[in-house]
Amino acid sequence: MLQLCKTAVKSALKPFGLTVQRVNSSSPEQTDPFATYKELGIDPDDIAFIYTKAQEYHVVHLNQKKFLWFKNMKESLKQLPKDDFYLINQSCIIHRAIILDYTAISSRRFLLKLKAPFQYIDDPLILVVSQLYARQFLNWYHGVFSN
């Protein structure tokens, strides 16, 4: 029965390019919040972006592998380096390294242009900096930080 469930889940995730991998955790209380992701081959420094769609969180690795993510945006942002990652809208945290440029699409919203191999993404959830985060995005992107 368990094998049947595993097969069904894998089949359901395959069209979305997602995979299921077993994570062996040595203890339920881990000091490193990313330990399970490292076991999957995901180092926080190699995350391109984290996004939510259809009430599920996903992480896309710099090598374009996609995984289900088990932390919400707020928890993720707390654990990622602030100089490298920014919440551009309520659905996406993006890594500075994949941003090529941006264009104003209104007085307080920006459309991101991403570096290869992400330049073909056309999802507004991933590309649009919302007006709520736009001003702070400019400071973050251009390296002006205020505490």
Side-chain angles (χ1 to χ4, degrees):
M1 180 69 168
L2 183 58
Q3 185 60 36
L4 182 61
C5 289
K6 287 180 187 177
T7 304
V9 168
K10 286 180 181 180
S11 297
L13 294 176
K14 190 174 182 176
F16 301 104
L18 300 172
T19 60
V20 176
Q21 297 180 6
R22 182 178 175 87
V23 176
N24 294 321
S25 177
S26 57
S27 70
E29 298 177 356
Q30 298 185 12
T31 56
D32 182 353
F34 285 98
T36 57
Y37 301 111
K38 286 181 182 176
E39 289 175 14
L40 288 171
I42 301 175
D43 185 324
D45 294 333
D46 293 333
I47 294 172
F49 55 91
I50 300 167
Y51 69 99
T52 180
K53 198 169 203 175
Q55 299 180 344
E56 290 183 340
Y57 296 95
H58 306 271
V59 62
V60 178
H61 198 271
L62 288 173
N63 67 9
Q64 296 183 293
K65 287 185 181 177
K66 298 176 189 175
F67 297 91
L68 287 174
W69 190 252
F70 300 101
K71 299 176 188 298
N72 64 31
M73 293 294 161
K74 187 176 179 179
E75 291 170 351
S76 298
L77 203 55
K78 283 181 185 177
Q79 296 174 353
L80 294 168
K82 291 182 182 358
D83 291 351
D84 296 330
F85 292 90
Y86 190 76
L87 180 70
I88 61 168
N89 57 52
Q90 292 181 354
S91 300
C92 184
I93 298 171
I94 199 158
H95 193 293
R96 176 192 304 273
I98 70 166
I99 301 172
L100 180 65
D101 201 3
Y102 64 89
T103 306
I105 54 176
S106 71
S107 62
R108 293 182 3 210
R109 292 176 66 209
F110 303 106
L111 180 65
L112 299 180
K113 182 176 181 182
L114 304 181
K115 295 178 183 175
F118 302 101
Q119 74 271 26
Y120 300 110
I121 294 174
D122 62 357
D123 189 337
L125 289 176
I126 296 168
L127 296 177
V128 176
V129 180
S130 71
Q131 65 183 33
L132 180 64
Y133 302 105
R135 186 176 191 188
Q136 292 171 337
F137 168 80
L138 291 176
N139 291 337
W140 171 81
Y141 185 73
H142 294 290
V144 180
F145 300 101
S146 60
N147 292 336

